Amino acid sequence: MKIKRQKQAKKTLSFYKYNFSFREPFQILIDGTFCQAALKNKIQIKEQMPKYLMGEVQLCTTSCALRELDTLGKELYGAKIILQRFQVRRCPHFKSPVPASECLLSMLGDTNPHHYFVATQDHTVTAGLKKIPGVPLLYIILNTIVLDKPCQTSLDHVQAVQLGELVSQAQQQSIRSLKEEQGIAQKDGERRGKKRKRKQSNPNPLSCLKKKKKGVPTQPLKKTEEGEKRKRSRHKKRRDDTSAPAATNT
């Protein structure tokens, strides 16, 4: 039976990891009912929970759940001691506490953005969890911890995402981050458009550089023309010198 439960737990964990991006350490919200059931069945939550989920775990609760155990009296004193050992997460009911079931559901919101597991024996909480996609449920039955199968709302949400009707928030954030890192889609188009505009708007400095290159080779041409003129004037002087002794001989 233990092997079958672990296989089923692996399937459900892979479902939540792949479709709702759950990662270790798993955050588990626990209420007083779960601690009371663990105390009766002699289950040590800190030791057995990470073994069952095959990974690191952060056990946590809320101040509303602790205050509810205070009001219930001595019958749940042992559950209160167990629950006090866990981390206390901030809830919006610090000044005006509410029942633990209402507080846990408010921590999840509409889409469970913080990726909480919920460990409870309360039927009102389980009924509310089935309306929220992507919330794993843990409960105790027959002296063992059990991870419930995904509810129908989670399955419907995954089908809608696969068909393209919906996109989960985690996928939207990952897509945006990938686009920003790699410069895909619209940002690339915007950058390329800007580069083309720059090439069209800056012809003047390039044309100025070309004019300078054309003006440089014109200077040696002038020098050669002056050199030829000087050579011609020298030849004329030599002709004058040769003509002078010929006149004296006559």
Side-chain angles (χ1 to χ4, degrees), residues 150-169:
C151 61
Q152 191 62 39
T153 55
S154 297
L155 295 173
D156 294 338
H157 181 80
V158 171
Q159 286 181 354
V161 170
Q162 290 176 354
L163 294 172
E165 296 176 358
L166 293 174
V167 178
S168 62
Q169 292 182 353

Side-chain angles (χ1 to χ4, degrees), residues 67-175:
R67 289 178 183 177
E68 187 178 49
L69 292 177
D70 287 332
T71 57
L72 292 174
K74 295 181 181 180
E75 294 180 357
L76 299 174
Y77 180 75
K80 178 186 173 182
I81 292 171
I82 295 170
L83 196 64
Q84 284 177 348
R85 298 174 183 175
F86 307 146
Q87 297 178 3
V88 179
R89 296 296 170 90
R90 292 181 181 178
C91 64
H93 318 110
F94 181 75
K95 293 181 180 180
S96 58
V98 297
S101 59
E102 185 179 349
C103 183
L104 292 177
L105 293 173
S106 68
M107 293 289 286
L108 301 173
D110 295 330
T111 58
N112 192 14
H114 298 290
H115 306 292
Y116 283 121
F117 287 70
V118 177
T120 184
Q121 303 290 115
D122 193 349
H123 295 289
T124 58
V125 178
T126 56
L129 294 179
K130 291 179 181 179
K131 298 177 183 179
I132 303 169
V135 183
L137 175 63
L138 291 161
Y139 58 90
I140 294 171
I141 188 169
L142 299 175
N143 300 327
T144 56
I145 299 171
V146 177
L147 179 62
D148 196 11
K149 294 179 181 180
C151 61
Q152 191 62 39
T153 55
S154 297
L155 295 173
D156 294 338
H157 181 80
V158 171
Q159 286 181 354
V161 170
Q162 290 176 354
L163 294 172
E165 296 176 358
L166 293 174
V167 178
S168 62
Q169 292 182 353
Q171 289 177 351
Q172 288 179 358
Q173 291 178 357
S174 62
I175 289 165

Side-chain angles (χ1 to χ4, degrees), residues 9-234:
K10 283 182 180 179
K11 289 180 181 180
T12 54
L13 284 172
S14 62
F15 174 82
Y16 287 110
K17 286 179 181 179
Y18 180 75
N19 295 304
F20 296 96
S21 66
F22 277 74
R23 296 289 180 271
E24 295 181 18
F26 300 123
Q27 301 183 81
I28 301 173
L29 281 174
I30 302 173
D31 65 351
T33 60
F34 189 84
C35 292
Q36 183 68 19
L39 185 64
K40 287 182 179 179
N41 293 303
K42 297 180 180 181
I43 294 172
Q44 294 182 356
I45 299 170
K46 286 186 177 180
E47 293 181 0
Q48 294 186 14
M49 191 69 77
K51 290 180 181 178
Y52 180 67
L53 297 177
M54 296 163 286
E56 295 182 0
V57 166
Q58 287 183 355
L59 303 175
C60 54
T61 186
T62 63
S63 59
C64 293
L66 290 170
R67 289 178 183 177
E68 187 178 49
L69 292 177
D70 287 332
T71 57
L72 292 174
K74 295 181 181 180
E75 294 180 357
L76 299 174
Y77 180 75
K80 178 186 173 182
I81 292 171
I82 295 170
L83 196 64
Q84 284 177 348
R85 298 174 183 175
F86 307 146
Q87 297 178 3
V88 179
R89 296 296 170 90
R90 292 181 181 178
C91 64
H93 318 110
F94 181 75
K95 293 181 180 180
S96 58
V98 297
S101 59
E102 185 179 349
C103 183
L104 292 177
L105 293 173
S106 68
M107 293 289 286
L108 301 173
D110 295 330
T111 58
N112 192 14
H114 298 290
H115 306 292
Y116 283 121
F117 287 70
V118 177
T120 184
Q121 303 290 115
D122 193 349
H123 295 289
T124 58
V125 178
T126 56
L129 294 179
K130 291 179 181 179
K131 298 177 183 179
I132 303 169
V135 183
L137 175 63
L138 291 161
Y139 58 90
I140 294 171
I141 188 169
L142 299 175
N143 300 327
T144 56
I145 299 171
V146 177
L147 179 62
D148 196 11
K149 294 179 181 180
C151 61
Q152 191 62 39
T153 55
S154 297
L155 295 173
D156 294 338
H157 181 80
V158 171
Q159 286 181 354
V161 170
Q162 290 176 354
L163 294 172
E165 296 176 358
L166 293 174
V167 178
S168 62
Q169 292 182 353
Q171 289 177 351
Q172 288 179 358
Q173 291 178 357
S174 62
I175 289 165
R176 288 175 185 173
S177 62
L178 288 172
K179 285 182 178 180
E180 289 177 358
E181 289 177 358
Q182 298 180 0
I184 301 172
Q186 294 179 355
K187 291 189 177 180
D188 277 342
E190 290 176 357
R191 289 178 183 175
R192 289 176 185 175
K194 288 179 181 178
K195 287 181 180 179
R196 288 177 183 175
K197 288 179 181 179
R198 286 178 184 175
K199 287 180 181 179
Q200 292 177 0
S201 63
N202 293 324
N204 291 327
L206 295 173
S207 63
C208 292
L209 292 172
K210 288 179 180 179
K211 288 179 181 179
K212 288 180 181 179
K213 290 179 181 179
K214 289 179 180 178
V216 173
T218 55
Q219 293 179 358
L221 293 172
K222 292 179 180 179
K223 291 180 180 180
T224 53
E225 289 177 357
E226 291 177 355
E228 290 177 356
K229 290 178 180 179
R230 289 178 182 177
K231 288 179 181 179
R232 288 177 184 175
S233 63
R234 288 177 185 175

